[in-house]
Amino acid sequence: MHTPGNDGASHHGRVSALRYYVEIVRRRRVAVLLSIALPIAIATTLALLEQPLYRGGAQVVLNRQNLANALTNTPDPASGANDFLRVVQTQATIARSPDVARRVVREVPEADLSFRELIADSSVESARDTDLLQFHVWHPKPQIAAKLTTAYAEQFVEFRRQLDTASLERARAQLDARLRELNNQAVRNRQLIADLASKEQELRTLEALQTSNATVTSRAAGARKISPRPKRYLAFGLLAGIALAAVVASALEALDTRIRSAEEIEERLGVPFIARLAPPPSEIGNDLVMLADPRGANAEAFRVLRTNLEFATFGREIKTIMVTSAVQGEGKSTTIANLAVAAARSGSRVVLVDLDLRRPSIERRFALPRGPGLTDVALGHVPLEDALAEVSVPTPGASKASVRAGNMRPPGRLSILRSGPVPPDPGEFVTSLAVSEILKSLRSEADLVLIDAPPVLQVGDTMSLSNSVDGLFLITRMPLIRRSMLDNLRRALTVSPALVLGLVLTGEQSSDRYGYGYGYGDAEGFAPDPAELQQPAT
């Protein structure tokens, strides 16, 4: 029994499957269009190059009743229905004989055909459940096609008459010779001569009756064009193009290892999405969205990421969070830098650590001057406090009066721990006790420690660092990630001791995913200062 729920699920499955195939066609539209256009172009070319061909048609009826046998009261063994069907088939075979074909080509010399060419360019078929023979001849010229067809039917009837009367003619010739012999004798046997004369007359009668056993009932008045047929060529070309397009699209999909949907990433890694980030606006350039346009739609996506991380870590002692990606260029450093600003603007004490020692970039993203970093602290050159660089993250609309009045939370703090000089062996350095102690110190002093780590699949630093952090989340970019990368990434995550908090998808061209709620007060959701509201408008 089908329930409404089951019908709804089935309908949803059909819609999803249809959407999947439509998406494949959309992605492969160039290959699909070319695959369809190529067979159509070939079919059109063949139709244009093919020589026109015309076919004439004529009919010959075979008389089922033999008049000669009927007048002489002689039983006809072929008068039965089944026997006569065999007779019709036999006559069709006789019509295809070279003797008939030679008669036709002699009758129509302007056709310039040999009897073999005529046989190849013609057909004789018995019409179903009738006593008719259908004659068809095709030729590039319609007039000649019609003339050949009519001649074919007429010459068959004449050939059939000659076959049927040949024995009668021989018998009559023998009687004529005998009669002449008897008439030349001195003593005539008048009775014998009379009997033979009677027999000779009967043979003449039978010979005349045999000519009515086959009759041309329909001659070719014209010829119909049978090729080329552009519509048929186009139909075949279209069907072949659709089949070719399906094969090409399927092959391209099978060979293409790119990931096409966020759901596939989520399914392959077994990790939920916690945010989707669109590319920054072109007018911002390389600046951080949270600093250049904190009230914009793109900045809202990072606040959503911050909130989702809070939900993911709710009830757990997770303060050090590492961000990584499968390969370089997926946007992990930009994401964690914007996330650090968003967390600090919410009132948290945040420390952002650049532990991508092979390609450090956090210092450049915040336009910080050169200074001591993590490697300097680990080597004991400077204390940890002196290596932290403070970044100003003012809350728009905030004032001391509004903070004292309780209308706004006090602004947070954002500190950056640069990478410092690159060590000779970064992989060994990140596993050192000194680095672990630095992260522990930062964890005890800050509300949140965010760590920018190298890509997982390119170096082993990230897996080594996972022993020193509470959790991590992954950055992935749809155009860059491949199925094999996801498989390797999943294997790496299974051995990581840190809790995997989720996935962040970057590079999505979507402006309305988090587009609701803008324009209501401050970008951070804080109320404006009442004193500012009392100021007169200028």
Side-chain angles (χ1 to χ4, degrees):
M1 180 183 296
H2 293 284
T3 63
N6 291 336
D7 292 340
S10 176
H11 174 72
H12 177 72
R14 290 193 297 269
V15 172
S16 299
L18 178 61
R19 185 181 295 114
Y20 171 75
Y21 291 118
V22 170
E23 182 64 21
I24 290 178
V25 173
R26 187 192 66 81
R27 286 197 302 267
R28 307 297 179 186
R29 56 186 177 274
V30 175
V32 168
L33 291 176
L34 289 177
S35 299
I36 294 177
L38 180 60
I40 292 178
I42 294 175
T44 304
T45 304
L46 292 176
L48 294 175
L49 295 178
E50 185 176 358
Q51 184 183 34
L53 205 60
Y54 298 86
R55 186 179 71 175
Q59 289 183 346
V60 171
V61 62
L62 302 176
N63 295 326
R64 186 181 291 267
Q65 184 178 10
N66 191 316
L67 296 179
N69 291 337
L71 291 177
T72 58
N73 294 321
T74 303
D76 186 1
S79 60
N82 293 332
D83 292 331
F84 196 77
L85 289 177
R86 288 197 295 271
V87 169
V88 174
Q89 293 291 339
T90 301
Q91 296 304 313
T93 304
I94 292 173
R96 302 291 291 159
S97 66
D99 290 337
V100 178
R102 288 190 181 94
R103 290 168 174 263
V104 177
V105 297
R106 284 196 300 268
E107 184 72 16
V108 189
E110 63 267 28
D112 193 22
L113 293 176
S114 66
F115 75 91
R116 291 187 177 87
E117 291 174 332
L118 176 66
I119 293 175
D121 295 339
S122 63
S123 67
V124 180
E125 300 172 348
S126 58
R128 183 180 180 86
D129 298 330
T130 67
D131 301 338
L132 295 175
L133 289 180
Q134 303 278 358
F135 287 78
H136 296 289
V137 180
W138 42 90
H139 193 272
K141 297 180 179 180
Q143 299 85 354
I144 294 181
K147 194 171 183 179
L148 283 170
T149 306
T150 299
Y152 200 170
E154 292 175 345
Q155 292 302 318
F156 165 72
V157 171
E158 178 65 19
F159 184 74
R160 167 75 188 274
R161 185 193 67 78
Q162 292 181 1
L163 286 179
D164 292 339
T165 61
S167 59
L168 295 176
E169 289 178 350
R170 287 193 299 270
R172 187 168 58 82
Q174 292 175 358
L175 281 176
D176 288 341
R178 180 61 176 160
L179 284 172
R180 285 193 300 270
E181 181 183 347
L182 292 174
N183 287 324
N184 292 330
Q185 290 179 357
V187 180
R188 297 178 180 178
N189 189 341
R190 297 185 180 278
Q191 182 63 37
L192 180 58
I193 292 174
D195 292 339
L196 290 179
S198 175
K199 293 293 184 182
E200 192 266 347
Q201 185 61 40
E202 288 181 6
L203 288 176
R204 288 182 181 276
T205 302
L206 290 175
E207 185 178 342
L209 292 175
Q210 289 290 357
T211 60
S212 62
N213 287 342
T215 307
V216 178
T217 59
S218 175
R219 290 172 171 80
R224 184 171 60 91
K225 188 177 183 179
I226 59 174
S227 68
R229 295 184 180 179
K231 292 183 178 179
R232 178 176 294 183
Y233 274 90
L234 290 177
F236 287 153
L238 180 60
L239 292 177
I242 293 175
L244 179 62
V247 172
V248 171
S250 300
L252 291 176
E253 283 294 309
L255 296 175
D256 191 356
T257 60
R258 287 178 295 179
I259 298 296
R260 294 297 183 181
S261 67
E263 290 74 15
E264 185 178 357
I265 299 177
E266 192 173 20
E267 179 181 354
R268 283 182 174 270
L269 289 181
V271 178
F273 276 100
I274 54 176
R276 301 168 188 258
L277 306 177
S282 57
E283 61 270 13
I284 291 180
N286 295 326
D287 296 337
L288 298 178
V289 172
M290 289 301 302
L291 293 178
D293 187 21
R295 297 176 182 268
N298 295 83
E300 179 65 17
F302 291 101
R303 287 188 284 273
V304 171
L305 171 58
R306 178 199 67 200
T307 303
N308 289 341
L309 278 177
E310 291 175 354
F311 279 114
T313 59
F314 182 75
R316 299 170 177 168
E317 285 295 325
I318 296 179
K319 297 179 66 177
T320 56
I321 299 177
M322 177 175 63
V323 64
T324 185
S325 60
V327 293
Q328 178 187 343
E330 298 192 71
K332 64 177 180 60
S333 299
T334 301
T335 299
I336 198 170
N338 280 291
L339 175 61
V341 176
R345 288 170 68 91
S346 69
S348 299
R349 170 73 170 93
V350 182
V351 177
L352 175 57
V353 183
D354 192 350
L355 262 174
D356 190 352
L357 300 180
R358 301 173 189 270
R359 297 180 64 91
S361 62
I362 297 299
E363 177 180 286
R364 184 178 66 258
R365 295 183 188 280
F366 284 93
L368 297 177
R370 289 188 175 274
L374 183 139
T375 54
D376 297 293
V377 177
L379 295 174
H381 296 167
V382 294
L384 178 58
E385 294 77 9
D386 294 344
L388 294 174
E390 297 294 329
V391 176
S392 176
V393 284
T395 302
S399 66
K400 293 182 179 180
S402 61
V403 172
R404 287 194 300 269
N407 294 328
M408 299 191 69
R409 290 172 288 179
R413 293 176 56 193
L414 174 59
S415 301
I416 306 296
L417 182 56
R418 307 175 183 87
S419 62
V422 178
D425 190 349
E428 291 293 332
F429 181 80
V430 297
T431 60
S432 63
L433 181 61
V435 173
S436 179
E437 292 297 327
I438 292 173
L439 295 179
K440 287 181 181 179
S441 300
L442 295 175
R443 187 182 192 279
S444 63
E445 297 177 4
D447 298 323
L448 179 64
V449 180
L450 297 175
I451 302 169
D452 184 16
V456 174
L457 301 183
Q458 293 180 323
V459 292
D461 303 5
T462 303
M463 290 297 99
S464 301
L465 281 171
S466 62
N467 291 312
S468 303
V469 300
D470 302 326
L472 63 89
F473 68 91
L474 300 166
I475 303 295
T476 182
R477 184 184 294 270
M478 194 81 76
L480 294 180
I481 199 70
R482 297 292 187 271
R483 295 186 180 95
S484 58
M485 294 180 185
L486 288 181
D487 295 337
N488 294 332
L489 187 58
R490 180 166 187 167
R491 285 191 289 269
L493 293 178
T494 55
V495 298
S496 172
L499 177 65
V500 181
L501 301 175
L503 288 167
V504 175
L505 182 64
T506 61
E508 277 208 333
Q509 295 290 345
S510 177
S511 59
D512 59 350
R513 186 179 297 277
Y514 305 116
Y516 58 87
Y518 294 109
Y520 296 94
D522 183 76
E524 296 294 338
F526 299 149
D529 192 345
E532 297 177 358
L533 296 177
Q534 295 174 2
Q535 295 178 358
T538 58

